[in-house]
Each structure stands twice: as structure tokens, then as C-alpha cells.
Amino acid sequence: MSGFVPHSSSAAMFPARVKAILGPTNTGKTHLAITRMLAHASGIIGFPLRLLARENYDRMVAAKGARYVALITGEEKIVPPEAKWFACTVEAMPLDRQAEFVAVDEIQLCADPDRGHIFTDRLLHARGLVETMFLGAETIRPLLQRLVPQAEIETRPRLSQLSYAGPAKLTRLPPRSAVVAFSAAEVYAIAEAIRRRRGGCAVVMGRLSPRTRNAQVALYQNREVDFLVATDAIGMGLNMDVDHVAFASLNKFDGHRPRVLTPQEAAQIAGRAGRGMRDGTFGVTAECPPLPDEMVEKIETHHFEALQTLAWRNSDLDMASIDGLLDSLALAPNQPGLARGNDATDHITLEALSRDPEVRKLATSRARVRLLWEACQIPDFRKLADDSHTKFAAKIFGHLVQDGALPNDWVAGQIAQLGNIEGDLDTLMTRLSAIRVWTYVAARADWVRDATRFQSEARAAEDAVSDALHERLTARFVDRRAAHLIRRLDETEEELLSAVNRKGEVVVEGHPVGHVSGFVFEPDASAANEDERKLVLRAARRALVDEIPRRVVALEAAKDEEFALTPTHRITWDGAEIARLKAGPTADKPQVDVLQSEFLDGAQRERVRAKLAAWLEALIAKEFAAVTTVEEKAAEDNTLRGPAFRLREYLGLVPGGTEAEVNPELRQKLKAIGIRAGRFALYLPEVLKPRPMALRAQLWALKAECVVPTLPGGGLVSIQPPEGWPRGFAATMGWVQAGSVLLRLDVAERVAGELGHLTRRAPATLPQDVASRLGVKADALPAVLNALGFRLLPAEPLAEDAFGPPSPTMVGARREEHGRGNRPRHGQRPQRDRRPQQAPAAAPQDGAPAEAGAEAGAEAAPRPEGGRPPRREGQRPQGDRPQGDRQQRGPRPDRGPRPPRDGQPAEAREGNRPPRDRQNRPEGERPQGDRPRGPREDRPRGNRPFDKGRDNRGNEGRTYSFDTPKPAKADPDSPFAVLAKLKLGKG
């Protein structure tokens, strides 16, 4: 039922004029209507969206002042006492107020099945005292002429041309484009893609508040971004500087079902392109298929099928009872061209409440039925698809009937709770929808006792959430840096303002674009995709033209302390990786490869490489100076050159026992120049220090092509085998496998030497501090000693009739299993006659070097496994060669065990000698080696220092060492081959 008065005294003299301004978008219809309204003494104009009402309210305020302009929407009422001109939503138009001018925008929405009945009611009943104007599309012309025959119809042409541009990728869209999608998920996905590729975009959706929408539009209008992603809300009169509209989809959900856009709906959206006299284009993007030719033709020519029916609902409602109200709402139209649309939310809510006995008990009068109807008309902005809105309307109605107004505490609590600004985009939008419901309630001054207060609080909560939503949208979908750089790089060839600060941050035009690490530019972390990386690289190139040459000069002047090695074989300079190590021809000659950088030319790369190679060479020479020293000392003696050369190959530590290769005389010579020839390795004590050991680990891992294993901390005597250590690494780094633990090489040598000296004749009392010196628990000591070549002898219990202290724990050399006819294995010593042949050597004094103990007990203690294999049949015994010749030539790793020379004492023999031939044994003499030792599985195996190139059949799997592959034939350039040639020449 309309509240407008169609006739008045002035109207009697001048009949009211009804005019319809029809035409496509960009015809200036809305501008004409507002101009005409402001020319009258009063006026009311209705818009389809709250956003449009707010936008045009601001324009009217700018023209007439806030004192005379009012805004009325479902959620917001700004009505000054002297208000003359009203900007409203169509639903909120004040039907009881007289005005000279009345206008309704987008009148073709009369055909909308959900909201159309409101527009149809305004078309049939809303009239101004002097002038009435309906604005809309040409498709409503036939029905408008039938229903409002007195209306004057004026058709206005579009001010600019609209043409189809076809499909385009998101990356190819021109600036000032709007991309249209029809769901929040699609809008977010497209906005994310545009941010990554084009610097960002503004977002406009119908769920946004006017404050958030205006802030987003300002981003676009102020050219902070060049793209806009929106729903079909932009099709309803939102005027922006859009040159191109791209459809990301042609399907929408209209609240009831998914369907394809009609040509008229597509034209309404595409018409946002090309405002004023500027032509526009439209097309498709993303995964949207091309528009059908028929639809394109209709959009370009603005020719569409006329509307056949308009949605209608009875406005003359029966408020006598709930049932009477429902019956009046269900009435069918009595005019052609009108049809009942879908049941609106208020009708559905009323039907649900009519089944509630409590509601029926309260709705006992016409006033209460009207009050119930007003409660049902509260907009369901939340759209939760449950009965929460129905219960909310029932609660509102109950409070109004029983209390006369809504409780202040309840209203205040709900509004305060919704003012929370925490959460993601969807949370804030949901909260904003709930605030809009309470804003609508607070705007009803007859429902709340303190309407002014609650309207202010609701507006404050909406503004707070709107601002937070704008910030979230901007943070997620706008990259101001990228947008600005794209514009500057594309629009100008001038030099950009750029600099590199002391921390290496690259700043271009005031925006950080990345960081220079060494000579490599690392784009900013926010540049997460290839398109953003390309953008910041374009900007960074201009800033790094002068920076990289300056850094090369600084590196050449850098001190050694500024360089370091990483576990992944990278060389760092001030913490930045600039090069990597590559395995060289030998372990102590690694190569340097400068990391790739587009900012370094060939000459600069070579300067960097030369500096790093010199630093690395100096570092290796410094840490392995002891190896160089012993090489210089060994140059004077032919017998020392071989061990010194092997130490150079192995960088100071050759795993494996030396007893079979090094006789006591040679051992003393080696010790004199600093080399220790022990039971478990040939080594230099200096390389066991932390810094040389760390560099050895680095070079070992480089040759093994793996990450540098973590070394144990200094000061540890024994450790559990670390997880992840590659095979062979422990022995190479100076750790001896002893049972379930690893012993430090120097400690194992020292303790084994002392125990070997004690047990050289017979088992001896176990020293009390052995376990603590080895760093193991007492229960693990037997296994550790067994691995070192010794055994614990349990104390024999006293006889029953004997008295005295218990016998002490004894330790002796480990007895090996033996069988008749077995020969000693590689690394094993034949069982000797325990009969003394000469006076025993003196025990080492406390504090004596470990090597002394090792040398003293070298003849009595068993050797670690991994020695020579048995001599092949027909192989010449080494005993045929004079001893002097052996001292000149050095050890020969390719030959088998050497028999002892006649007349040599047992204590002076070298270890691991085969037994003498029984036929040549003097009569009555006990043969040595008649009981060859069996396999010693509990002793760790390892490469002997001088058996390089032999087939070690006891090792399985792949191991790495400092050995370099040798050819099948002898290397003629090796020191041994040269020495042999010299000797043959002398002969």
C-alpha cells in the first residue's frame, strides 16, 4: 500500500508528470535523475543497492550540504530535521512522506523473482507531487507502457562504444580492467593470481559495507592498483574508470540454483567499461569459455528480448490475524503482465513462526500481527541456511510484545560482541553481515529505548570491522611495491631511485626488492612466484650496476678471517655463500668454483676465483704444516719417504696397523721426525687437533660427495658411534672401533701399548684406571679390551681352607683359535714361544708418550685384523731379499708375509712372519708358528698404511678414503718407480 499522495493543490493545477528514461549503461540516466531532483524543492530517489544509495548521498551532500540531504537504508538512517532530498534503497523509501520528485533506479529489476515485487510496487504506486521518473533498461518498455500508460518514455543512447575483445589471460589483461566472478572463492582466487602477476587489485563484493567498498574503490580510482575484481555488484550503477571488463565465469547462483547469465545481465556488467565518452571493451579470462556470438551481438547492439512478466506481491495486507496475513500474501495478481515471484524471506519467516504456538498466543490483535510482520521483515543478511533467523525474529517479537522494547543489556552485548576485529576475511564478512542485522534493529526507534546510543554503537562496530576488512583485503590482494614498480618500469626509461644499504638490502623507488648475498641477488621473500621475481629482478638490475664491481674489489682486499667453509662445501664471505668446492686431483688440492651470478662477468668471476683459491691453499698449508715438515725431514732418508708420502696422501693419518710393515728400527726413525707408527694407524699427533681434524673431515666428505659429518666435541675419549657417519669415516678421523664404542686413536694406542708391555711374557694384574682412561664403564671393559687384543682373566676363587685377599683381575694377550696347518691371516702374528730369550724391556714410566708403550709392546700384543693375505703359490719369499735392500726400497704392499731371517732373535723379528720350513728347522728346535692363529672377528679391520691397491675381501659396501684410483700398471712417475730406476742404473 503506497503512502504517497498522488494529488495535491499544486498537482491539481499542474498534473504530475511520469517519465521513464530507458537505455543501456553509460547513458547518464542516474546523473539526469539526481540533477532533476535537486532542481525541485524536495525529492526522493530509490537505488537497488545500499552502496549506490551511499555513493549518491555523498554526491548530493557535496551539492546541497549535509543539512538538507538524508540517507535512509535498512541499516542506516541519517535524517536531518531540515532534510529535503532523500537517497534511499528501494525497500526503505519513506512512503509516508510527500515529495515533489520521486525516482526509482534500475526499474527493470521488477522482473527479479526475489526482490522484484518491491520494484513493481514502486512502479505502480510511488509518485511525486510534480514529477516521477523511472530509470532502467529498454527491456521493460512494453510492460511499463501497459501498466503505466501515462508515462512518457525517453530512450537515451550510450555515450561510448562497447566492443568485444575476446579471451585474454590474466597476465595479458590491459590496465584499468575489471574481472567479474560470481562467488567469494572465485574472487579470492583471481585476486591472488593478479597480485602475483600484476601487483595487486581492489576487491568489490555485495557483502562489503559501504565504508569497505569505498576504501577498495579508492585504491583503484587513485591508481594504486590497475585492476579490480568484483562480483556482479558492479553492474548496478557503480561508476569507475574501467576500460575493460573480463568475465571469469558465466555461471552464477541466484539464491535458488546455478544458472547461466542472461544476455541482459551480461550487458549490465559489461557496460561498466568505457565511462563517459571513452570507449570500452569486454571479454573473458581465466577458464571462462568465449562468449557466444549471439550474446556478443546483443551486448554490442544493446538489443534484448523484452520482459514478459513482472514479479508482484499483494501490498494490501490483512493484519487481522496471522492466517489472514498469510492469505493476503498468497493472493494472485489481477492484471496481465504480473506474476507472483518467489516467496521472499519475510514471507518464509512468517510461515515458520505461524506454526509456533507461543507466537500465535502473542499475536492476538491487529497491532501485534503488524508488529510480527515487521519483525519478519528484518533482513537476513547472514543467510546461514538454518532456523537461526526465524528464532531471532521470534525473540525480537516476544520482547516487543512482553517488554514493549528490546532489553538494553541484550542489544548492547550483541553489538559489543560483533565489534571484534580479529579473524580472516570470511570471519570478518560474516561478522559484518551480523552487524548489519543489528544496525537495522537499532535504526527502529520504536523498538529500542535508546535508539541514538545503539545506532552510534552499531555504526562504530561496523566501521571498525569495515576498516579491519579493508586492511585484510589490501594486505592479501595488494602489493603496492609491485604495482608501483610495474608502472614505473613500464612508463619511464629514466633512471629509478635505487640504493644498496650496508645490510645488503636493495631499495628501488623506496620499496625493498630483495637482498644481495655475496654476488647473488635474492628477491624479497614476498616475491613468491616467477612473475614477481622477474619484476624485482628488473628493478634490481638498475641498482646493482655499480654495487657488484665494488664488492669484487672489497673481496680481493678481505682478510682470511672473513672466509669460511660450510658443511655443504660452500665458501662464505661475511656469511654469504659465494663459491663451492670441487674435488681436485688429490685430497689436498680441491678446486674452487664461483657460484653463478648474472651480475658477474667473466673477468670478475676469475678475480673472485683466484682470491678464494689462494685463501684455500694457504688454509690447507697452515693446518697441515706438520705434514710438510715431516716430508722435508724424510727427504734425507729413503726409508722414510714412503711413510711420509702416504701421510701426504691421507693428510696426516693412515688407518690400519703398522706392525707388519714397520720394524723397530724404522719405527724409531719415524718417531724421531714426528710420525707415530702404532698398532692402529700411521699418523701425526698434530692432525688430531680440532682445526686440522675439521679440515680433514671437510676434504674427506668432499671426496666422498656427501655433507660433512658432525664431529664430536673436543676432550672426549670415547663415544658411541654417531648415527649417519659413513663407512670408513671414523677410522679416517682417528677413532678406533672397540666393541660398541669408538676410542680416540691416541688414547687407544697409549693404553694398548702399556697393556702390551705388561703382558709381553705372561698375564699381569689389570691396572685399576684402565676403564676411566678409556672412558668406558666397567661392564663394557672386557669387550673393549678384547677388541684391542687383550682378554680379562677372572680371578680364581680361594680354596675352602685358604685365607687371604681375593685374587686381582688379570689381563693377558688374547689367545686366538688355531687349527693344524692354518697360516696367519693378514694382520695376525704367529703364536710365539713364551720362553724368554733375552731380558724383558723396561716398563714405560708414568707420563711417557703413548708411542713408547706401543713400541715396547709391539712384539707381544696381537695385531688388528686386516693384514696381509697368505702368499700365493710360487711367490718368492721376501726373505730372499737382503734386509739392507728392504730399507732402501721401503715396504712393498703387493707382497705377502716375509719369513724371518736365520739367527734373528724372536723379539727383533717383524710382526706377521710366516713359520719357518720344518725341513730346514734345526733338530730339537721348537718351531714358531706351529699353532697359527684363527680368524680374529672381534678386532676392527681397516686399510693398512702400505697396502694401497690390495683386494681387501673383508670389507663390504662402498667406502671412501683419500686414495686416488691407480692404473693397473705402475705409474712411471711415482717416487717408487723413479727410485727403482736410479737403483737399477747404479747396478
Side-chain angles (χ1 to χ4, degrees):
M1 182 172 62
S2 175
F4 288 95
V5 179
H7 298 284
S8 66
S9 58
S10 60
M13 297 175 59
F14 304 99
R17 181 184 183 187
V18 179
K19 191 172 184 177
I21 309 297
L22 305 181
T25 57
N26 192 31
T27 56
K29 299 185 296 292
T30 304
H31 176 74
L32 173 65
I34 292 178
T35 302
R36 292 292 301 155
M37 182 179 69
L38 296 180
H40 288 281
S42 62
I44 300 172
I45 184 170
F47 297 98
L49 297 176
R50 180 191 179 196
L51 297 174
L52 279 176
R54 183 75 196 203
E55 177 184 354
N56 288 286
Y57 165 77
D58 294 335
R59 294 171 56 188
M60 293 160 58
V61 168
K64 292 296 184 177
R67 179 179 177 183
Y68 302 107
V69 180
L71 173 68
I72 302 178
T73 66
E75 305 98 278
E76 192 172 11
K77 284 186 173 63
I78 303 176
V79 184
E82 302 180 46
K84 297 181 180 180
W85 298 281
F86 290 76
C88 316
T89 54
V90 173
E91 289 85 349
M93 293 175 68
L95 304 182
D96 56 348
R97 183 180 291 270
Q98 295 184 0
E100 289 188 2
F101 178 89
V102 172
V104 179
D105 195 12
E106 305 294 353
I107 195 63
Q108 75 276 3
L109 289 180
C110 290
D112 183 79
D114 294 313
R115 299 177 61 204
H117 66 275
I118 301 294
F119 287 81
T120 302
D121 180 75
R122 303 299 181 262
L123 175 68
L124 298 176
H125 303 294
R127 298 294 182 268
L129 297 177
V130 176
E131 185 176 5
T132 302
M133 188 175 289
F134 299 111
L135 316 172
E138 188 72 25
T139 55
I140 201 174
R141 175 192 285 267
L143 288 177
L144 191 147
Q145 288 177 329
R146 180 189 302 175
L147 298 174
V148 188
Q150 73 274 21
E152 301 176 12
I153 298 179
E154 176 184 343
T155 300
R156 296 174 68 92
R158 182 178 169 89
L159 299 177
S160 62
Q161 295 295 321
L162 185 64
S163 58
Y164 181 59
K169 295 181 179 180
L170 286 175
T171 55
R172 299 296 183 181
L173 289 177
R176 316 309 295 168
S177 292
V179 182
V180 180
F182 297 97
S183 69
E186 287 181 312
V187 168
Y188 294 162
I190 294 171
E192 288 277 11
I194 292 179
R195 181 191 184 279
R196 292 194 302 267
R197 294 170 172 82
R198 310 300 294 272
C201 61
V203 175
V204 174
M205 293 189 289
R207 297 172 63 189
L208 300 183
S209 66
R211 187 182 183 94
T212 304
R213 175 261 180 191
N214 291 340
Q216 287 291 303
V217 169
L219 288 176
Y220 180 83
Q221 292 293 89
N222 296 336
R223 292 184 174 268
E224 294 186 49
V225 294
D226 283 330
F227 299 92
L228 174 74
V229 180
T231 61
D232 54 351
I234 67 168
M236 293 297 177
L238 295 182
N239 298 319
M240 291 173 288
D241 297 330
V242 176
D243 294 336
H244 178 77
V245 171
F247 290 92
S249 175
L250 295 177
N251 298 303
K252 66 175 291 185
F253 182 77
D254 61 6
H256 302 280
R257 65 187 185 281
R259 62 176 179 83
V260 179
L261 287 178
T262 65
Q264 171 63 38
E265 291 172 331
Q268 186 74 23
I269 298 170
R272 297 302 104 190
R275 308 306 298 169
M277 302 301 295
R278 189 175 65 254
D279 293 340
T281 58
F282 66 98
V284 295
T285 188
E287 299 180 359
C288 182
L291 296 180
D293 294 339
E294 182 181 358
M295 179 181 289
V296 170
E297 182 181 0
K298 291 181 178 180
I299 295 174
E300 290 182 336
T301 59
H302 315 297
H303 292 158
F304 306 98
E305 292 82 1
L307 299 176
Q308 300 300 317
T309 58
L310 303 182
W312 178 88
R313 188 175 76 177
N314 181 27
S315 59
D316 186 11
L317 303 179
D318 181 7
M319 298 296 176
S321 64
I322 294 179
D323 295 331
L325 177 58
L326 290 172
D327 292 341
S328 62
L329 288 170
L331 288 177
N334 55 6
Q335 296 185 47
L338 301 179
R340 291 188 69 245
N342 298 328
D343 289 341
T345 302
D346 52 4
H347 191 177
I348 296 173
T349 304
L350 178 64
E351 284 185 335
L353 292 180
S354 67
R355 297 188 290 269
D356 188 341
E358 296 296 327
V359 173
R360 282 189 170 273
K361 186 184 301 183
L362 294 177
T364 56
S365 65
R366 182 179 294 272
R368 289 189 175 182
V369 172
R370 183 178 297 277
L371 186 60
L372 174 62
W373 177 238
E374 292 176 352
C376 293
Q377 288 185 300
I378 297 175
D380 183 14
F381 295 117
R382 295 175 295 178
K383 293 181 172 57
L384 299 179
D386 56 18
D387 62 348
S388 58
H389 182 70
T390 302
K391 293 180 179 179
F392 179 75
K395 190 171 186 178
I396 293 286
F397 175 66
H399 281 302
L400 293 177
V401 171
Q402 297 173 353
D403 304 329
L406 301 180
N408 288 349
D409 294 342
W410 181 51
V411 177
Q414 292 294 318
I415 294 176
Q417 181 180 0
L418 295 173
N420 183 10
I421 62 174
E422 301 298 328
D424 57 12
L425 292 178
D426 291 334
T427 301
L428 291 177
M429 285 190 180
T430 302
R431 196 172 293 144
L432 196 58
S433 299
I435 292 176
R436 293 180 64 188
V437 174
W438 278 103
T439 303
Y440 179 93
V441 173
R444 294 294 301 263
D446 54 336
W447 285 6
V448 292
R449 293 185 175 91
D450 194 351
T452 304
R453 168 198 166 191
F454 292 128
Q455 289 175 14
S456 176
E457 291 180 357
R459 189 175 301 112
E462 180 178 336
D463 290 346
V465 176
S466 298
D467 292 342
L469 181 58
H470 170 65
E471 292 176 2
R472 302 288 198 285
L473 288 170
T474 303
R476 181 170 175 180
F477 301 126
V478 177
D479 186 347
R480 286 188 170 92
R481 176 195 63 190
H484 178 72
L485 290 178
I486 289 174
R487 191 176 299 110
R488 289 286 294 159
L489 290 170
D490 292 341
E491 294 178 357
T492 180
E493 295 295 333
E494 300 176 359
E495 191 70 23
L496 301 182
L497 296 176
S498 59
V500 180
N501 60 24
R502 294 182 178 179
K503 296 181 179 180
E505 296 176 351
V506 182
V507 181
V508 179
E509 290 287 326
H511 298 284
V513 297
H515 184 273
V516 177
S517 179
F519 302 101
V520 178
F521 174 72
E522 299 175 357
D524 190 69
S526 59
N529 59 78
E530 190 63 26
D531 296 300
E532 292 184 54
R533 292 173 64 88
K534 291 180 180 178
L535 171 65
V536 297
L537 278 174
R538 287 178 58 193
R541 288 190 184 100
R542 301 194 184 186
L544 298 177
V545 172
D546 299 325
E547 175 66 16
I548 295 301
R550 186 192 66 79
R551 289 186 169 231
V552 173
V553 174
L555 178 134
E556 290 179 320
K559 299 180 180 179
D560 291 348
E561 293 77 14
E562 300 178 27
F563 302 101
L565 295 171
T566 70
T568 55
H569 311 298
R570 295 294 194 267
I571 301 177
T572 62
W573 174 41
D574 282 342
E577 294 183 357
I578 58 175
R580 65 185 181 93
L581 294 181
K582 294 172 59 178
T586 59
D588 61 339
K589 295 185 182 300
Q591 298 178 351
V592 175
D593 184 21
V594 180
L595 296 181
Q596 291 294 332
S597 171
E598 64 174 294
F599 303 103
L600 283 176
D601 58 26
Q604 291 171 336
R605 285 177 57 85
E606 177 57 26
R607 290 165 60 187
V608 173
R609 190 207 63 79
K611 170 63 178 179
L612 297 180
W615 166 78
L616 185 60
E617 183 179 357
L619 176 65
I620 294 176
K622 175 184 176 182
E623 301 301 339
F624 300 124
V627 178
T628 304
T629 301
V630 299
E631 281 185 319
E632 295 174 353
K633 294 179 180 179
E636 301 289 332
D637 192 336
N638 292 338
T639 60
L640 302 179
R641 292 177 184 173
F645 179 75
R646 292 295 283 156
L647 288 174
R648 166 59 66 183
E649 286 186 312
Y650 278 79
L651 298 179
L653 192 155
V654 185
T658 64
E659 295 173 339
E661 301 291 346
V662 181
N663 57 35
E665 180 183 357
L666 179 58
R667 182 175 288 107
Q668 291 299 327
K669 288 184 178 182
L670 293 173
K671 180 180 179 182
I673 64 173
I675 301 176
R676 301 295 185 263
R679 294 166 175 261
F680 308 109
L682 179 75
Y683 66 99
L684 295 174
E686 290 82 0
V687 301
L688 297 180
K689 296 179 180 179
R691 291 176 62 88
M693 189 58 62
L695 186 55
R696 291 186 78 252
Q698 184 90 46
L699 299 177
W700 185 95
L702 179 64
K703 194 171 184 65
E705 299 179 354
C706 66
V707 177
V708 180
T710 303
L711 294 176
L716 296 178
V717 174
S718 65
I719 60 172
Q720 293 294 325
E723 295 183 2
W725 272 18
R727 185 176 181 182
F729 181 74
T732 306
M733 293 300 109
W735 293 93
V736 178
Q737 182 75 45
S740 61
V741 299
L742 296 176
L743 299 179
R744 205 171 68 197
L745 175 61
D746 56 344
V747 175
E749 293 281 7
R750 184 181 301 116
V751 174
E754 294 177 4
L755 293 180
H757 176 76
L758 290 176
T759 60
R760 67 191 183 281
R761 299 299 181 191
T765 302
L766 177 69
Q768 297 182 356
D769 61 346
V770 170
S772 62
R773 292 176 62 188
L774 293 175
V776 298
K777 296 182 179 179
D779 56 354
L781 185 59
V784 172
L785 291 180
N786 188 59
L788 295 181
F790 303 93
R791 59 192 178 95
L792 289 182
L793 304 177
E796 297 183 2
L798 296 175
E800 294 182 0
D801 57 346
F803 298 94
S807 301
T809 303
M810 306 294 286
V811 61
R814 189 179 58 199
R815 294 182 180 274
E816 306 295 344
E817 295 180 0
H818 55 85
R820 186 175 183 84
N822 290 342
R823 299 186 61 183
R825 292 184 57 186
H826 174 60
Q828 296 177 344
R829 174 175 300 180
Q831 186 69 26
R832 294 190 175 177
D833 189 0
R834 292 291 183 177
R835 292 175 296 178
Q837 297 184 10
Q838 65 181 22
Q845 300 295 326
D846 293 340
E851 292 72 15
E855 294 160 8
E859 300 301 321
R863 292 173 34 79
E865 187 175 353
R868 299 176 183 269
R871 189 179 64 214
R872 300 190 188 95
E873 183 176 355
Q875 182 178 358
R876 183 173 61 88
Q878 293 186 6
D880 297 341
R881 184 183 300 276
Q883 179 68 16
D885 186 33
R886 178 186 173 192
Q887 293 177 354
Q888 294 296 325
R889 294 288 300 274
R892 295 292 300 274
D894 57 339
R895 295 188 177 178
R898 181 177 299 173
R901 291 173 295 176
D902 294 339
Q904 185 177 5
E907 285 76 356
R909 297 176 194 152
E910 294 179 27
N912 194 22
R913 298 182 180 178
R916 296 180 179 177
D917 192 348
R918 292 178 179 268
Q919 297 177 0
N920 298 329
R921 187 177 71 242
E923 185 177 356
E925 181 179 351
R926 179 180 178 180
Q928 297 187 10
D930 288 347
R931 294 183 297 171
R933 301 178 182 178
R936 301 170 63 174
E937 301 296 339
D938 54 350
R939 175 165 294 186
R941 300 180 179 180
N943 295 331
R944 304 235 330 261
F946 305 111
D947 64 353
K948 178 179 177 184
R950 290 183 180 170
D951 181 16
N952 190 355
R953 295 179 174 83
N955 293 334
E956 297 179 359
R958 183 181 181 187
T959 60
Y960 297 93
S961 71
F962 292 115
D963 281 329
T964 55
K966 292 297 182 69
K969 296 182 179 180
D971 185 1
D973 296 328
S974 68
F976 302 105
V978 173
L979 184 60
K981 291 180 181 179
L982 291 175
K983 288 187 176 182
L984 291 174
K986 290 180 181 180

